[in-house]
Amino acid sequence: MQSQHCAQDPALLSVLTSVPAPSGCRAKVKYAFASRTVQKCLHRQPAPRHGHMCCSASSTTLATCSGDKQNKSFADQDIFLIAGAGIAGLAMAAALIKVGVPCKVLERDPGPRKGGSAIGLWPNAFRALDALGVADSLRQKHPLISRVELCTDDGNTLKAFSLDECQGAPHEFRGVKRSTLLEALQSIVPESCIEYNAAIHSVETDQNGAIVHLENGKKLRARCVIGADGANSRVARALSVSKPNYAGYTAYRGVATMPNGLPIPGDTVRQTWGKGVRSGMYPISDTELYWFTVFNAPEDSAFVAVEDRQSDALKFLPGWKGGIYEAVQSTSPDNISRSKLTDRWPPIGKGFSKGAVTLAGDAAHPMTPNLGQGGCTALEDAVILARKMNALLHPSQAKGERQHSLRSVATSDLIQVLREYENERKSRTRLITVRSNLMGQALQIPFAPVCSLRNFVVRNIYSPRHFLDHANYDCGQLT
C-alpha cells in the first residue's frame, strides 16, 4: 500500500462500533497515547540566493510540473517534492497539480508499481476521487457493492443488511484493484512529474524549505517535502516519528480468478468470523474476487515463501463454509501477499511534521485495515492539503487580494498551512486509528465464550445504522 495498510480488506469489523469497549481498554488507550519527545535532529542550511531552488553540485536538473506538462529546470522555480508513487503520493501530486502547485514525485522503484491485490473504496474515498476527476473511470470498471453479510465459519448468517440502512445513505462501495487505482491516478500526473530510481536517504529543513538527500548522491532543494512513502517512511524517520506497532495479527490477501462463477452474490461483501481467525471477500469484477484472511501470529513468525502461501493460508480455514476456502484455492501463490498489520496511535500534543516537511497516507497515520480506511484517508489527505494550498495561492478575488505564485509565498505562511493541514488530519484520523485497533482486538480473541457472546450481540442486538459513520466525511472539491 504503498504500504501494507492501504489494503482495505477487513472493513466490516466496524460492526462493533456501537458496542462499548471492555474494561481495561481505557488504560491501553492512555498508554498508547503517551507521546515521545521528538528529537531535534534537523540541521540549518544556508538559504539559496534569490530564493531559487538548487540542485547538487552536479549539473543534474529535474523537471517541475504545475499541470502544463512543460519541462523546466529544477532551479528555475519552487517545487514540492513528494516521496513515494503509491496511492498517497500520486493522489497528492494529482491534487496539487490541479491547483497549480509545481511538484515532483520521487519513487524508489525503477518504474510504476504493479503489485498489490485490491482496495475497498468507501463513500469518503469516492468523494476524494470525484474531486481529483478519476472516480467515473473506476465506477465503469468495478461493480457497486450494496449488501453486507456477517457469517460464522460454519456458514450461518449472523446479520445481513443493505448499506442504505446505514446513516447518511445512499452509500457507494466498490472493490478496485490496486494497480487499476494507481493507473487512474497516474493518468492525471504528467510523466515528467515522476522520477524513478530516486530513493530518499534523508531529509532536513532550513529557513527556505527543505533539502532531500537521495541514495544516489543527489541533493535536491524544495519549498516543501511530503512523505507519502508508507508506514516505514524514510521521511517520517527523519522527523523522528515513531515506528508503527505490530497489532498482533497477520493477513493473507489475494485476488481469485473464478470464471465459472463467484461463491457470493455480485453485490455483496461477506465477512466470516471464527475463533482468532476471520476472513472476508467481495467481487471486483464478474470473474474476480478479492479475499483476505487474518490470524493471530507472533511478530517474529517465520518467513513463508511465495510458493507456500496458498497452503499456509488454507491451514487457517479448515472446514470453513461460505466460499473463502474455494477463493483461496482459486488464487495462484504468486498472487497472494502476506503482511503483518501495524498501526501508530497519534500522541496527543505531538505532530507528524517539522518546518516545511510533512507526511501523508500511511506515513502520517498508519492504521490497521479493520475499518477499511487506510487508503481512503490517504485520498482525503491529498484533497485537504491541495485545498489549503489553493486558498493560499488564490485568495478570494472578491476581497481584492492578488494571487500568488509559490515563489512569492513566505515560508512562514507555507508552514502555517502545513500545520493547519496536519491538525485537521490528526483530528480526523486519530479516532479511526484507535477504533480500528480496538475492533481488531475484539474480533481476534480466540476464546470460544467471548466469540459466542460476540455472535449473540451481532445476531440479536446490533443495528447497522452507524456502520459507516467513519465514512460519512466529505473532503470537499478542488474547483
Side-chain angles (χ1 to χ4, degrees):
M1 219 162 156
Q2 176 192 2
S3 90
Q4 62 195 14
H5 294 288
C6 282
Q8 305 304 308
D9 40 7
L12 298 179
L13 295 187
S14 55
V15 296
L16 293 185
T17 53
S18 61
V19 179
S23 60
C25 284
R26 186 182 302 274
K28 177 177 177 62
V29 172
K30 292 177 66 176
Y31 173 79
F33 272 127
S35 61
R36 289 176 47 194
T37 302
V38 178
Q39 301 173 6
K40 296 183 178 179
C41 62
L42 302 177
H43 306 287
R44 304 287 286 184
Q45 295 290 332
R49 290 186 302 168
H50 308 302
H52 283 227
M53 300 293 98
C54 65
C55 296
S56 60
S58 69
S59 59
T60 303
T61 61
L62 292 176
T64 60
C65 304
S66 58
D68 57 4
K69 300 188 179 183
Q70 295 180 356
N71 295 339
K72 297 181 181 180
S73 168
F74 179 74
D76 283 347
Q77 66 176 11
D78 298 301
I79 193 170
F80 275 37
L81 292 178
I82 302 168
I87 294 172
L90 289 177
M92 185 65 73
L96 290 172
I97 289 171
K98 198 173 181 69
V99 299
V101 176
C103 60
K104 168 73 72 173
V105 180
L106 304 175
E107 168 57 39
R108 66 179 302 114
D109 288 348
R113 300 185 189 183
K114 298 295 185 182
S117 51
I119 178 173
L121 299 176
W122 293 94
N124 53 319
F126 271 103
R127 294 182 186 109
L129 292 168
D130 276 324
L132 294 175
V134 297
D136 285 342
S137 65
L138 297 173
R139 291 185 176 108
Q140 294 171 5
K141 298 176 182 178
H142 300 281
L144 178 67
I145 306 297
S146 59
R147 294 184 67 256
V148 173
E149 293 180 356
L150 306 175
C151 307
T152 59
D153 55 7
D154 58 5
N156 291 321
T157 300
L158 296 173
K159 182 78 67 174
F161 57 91
S162 166
L163 291 180
D164 284 347
E165 296 178 47
C166 306
Q167 191 171 24
H171 298 291
E172 182 174 14
F173 174 72
R174 300 174 195 267
V176 175
K177 278 189 174 181
R178 286 181 171 275
S179 57
T180 303
L181 177 57
L182 289 173
E183 289 170 2
L185 294 171
Q186 192 164 346
S187 70
I188 55 175
V189 178
E191 292 182 8
S192 58
C193 290
I194 305 176
E195 181 85 0
Y196 295 107
N197 289 312
I200 290 179
H201 178 269
S202 61
V203 180
E204 55 185 315
T205 63
D206 69 5
Q207 62 267 35
N208 275 356
I211 301 171
V212 173
H213 300 266
L214 300 183
E215 290 184 353
N216 61 17
K218 293 181 183 178
K219 185 171 69 172
L220 311 175
R221 179 175 288 280
R223 290 299 306 275
C224 173
V225 173
I226 303 170
D229 46 343
N232 297 312
S233 166
R234 288 285 184 91
V235 179
R237 185 189 310 172
L239 299 175
S240 298
V241 174
S242 61
K243 293 182 179 180
N245 300 305
Y246 181 52
Y249 41 90
T250 296
Y252 277 115
R253 304 178 177 97
V255 174
T257 300
M258 309 180 78
N260 295 324
L262 304 180
I264 60 175
D267 65 345
T268 298
V269 53
R270 177 183 294 163
Q271 190 172 51
T272 305
W273 299 342
K275 301 175 182 66
V277 181
R278 51 196 161 97
S279 68
M281 52 189 171
Y282 50 76
I284 58 176
S285 74
D286 292 339
T287 59
E288 294 175 300
L289 183 76
Y290 168 73
W291 61 266
F292 68 85
T293 183
V294 182
F295 52 92
N296 296 335
E299 186 173 7
D300 59 353
S301 55
F303 171 78
V304 178
V306 172
E307 60 269 21
D308 297 325
R309 288 177 180 173
Q310 184 192 61
S311 59
D312 192 57
L314 289 171
K315 80 178 185 182
F316 294 101
L317 307 168
W320 279 46
K321 308 296 183 182
I324 182 62
Y325 200 90
E326 294 77 11
V328 178
Q329 284 183 316
S330 300
T331 309
S332 62
D334 57 350
N335 285 331
I336 298 176
S337 65
R338 175 181 169 125
S339 55
K340 299 174 182 178
L341 303 183
T342 64
D343 67 4
R344 181 176 61 240
W345 295 13
I348 295 177
K350 298 293 182 180
F352 54 68
S353 59
K354 175 78 171 181
V357 180
T358 192
L359 304 173
D362 287 337
H365 40 74
M367 59 184 72
T368 54
N370 302 316
L371 294 180
Q373 285 297 304
C376 298
T377 52
L379 294 169
E380 293 175 6
D381 291 345
V383 177
I384 294 298
L385 181 55
R387 288 184 64 199
K388 293 184 179 299
M389 285 302 303
N390 189 44
L392 178 64
L393 296 175
H394 310 293
S396 173
Q397 293 184 1
K399 298 180 180 179
E401 300 178 53
R402 68 181 183 88
Q403 298 197 6
H404 304 287
S405 67
L406 183 58
R407 177 175 298 178
S408 67
V409 171
T411 301
S412 59
D413 291 338
L414 175 58
I415 291 175
Q416 178 62 33
V417 165
L418 297 179
R419 294 300 84 77
E420 292 173 0
Y421 154 79
E422 176 190 356
N423 291 335
E424 183 170 335
R425 299 313 295 156
K426 284 193 303 179
S427 177
R428 162 69 175 151
T429 60
R430 179 181 287 115
L431 181 58
I432 296 176
T433 303
V434 175
R435 193 179 186 185
S436 181
N437 181 287
L438 297 179
M439 294 306 105
Q441 290 185 56
L443 290 185
Q444 288 302 132
I445 294 176
F447 307 116
V450 177
C451 294
S452 296
L453 176 60
R454 172 198 68 197
N455 295 347
F456 175 85
V457 169
V458 172
R459 180 185 290 114
N460 299 289
I461 300 175
Y462 172 72
S463 167
R465 178 173 174 76
H466 296 290
F467 180 72
L468 288 179
D469 282 0
H470 55 273
N472 286 331
Y473 177 88
D474 191 346
C475 58
Q477 298 296 313
L478 291 176
T479 56

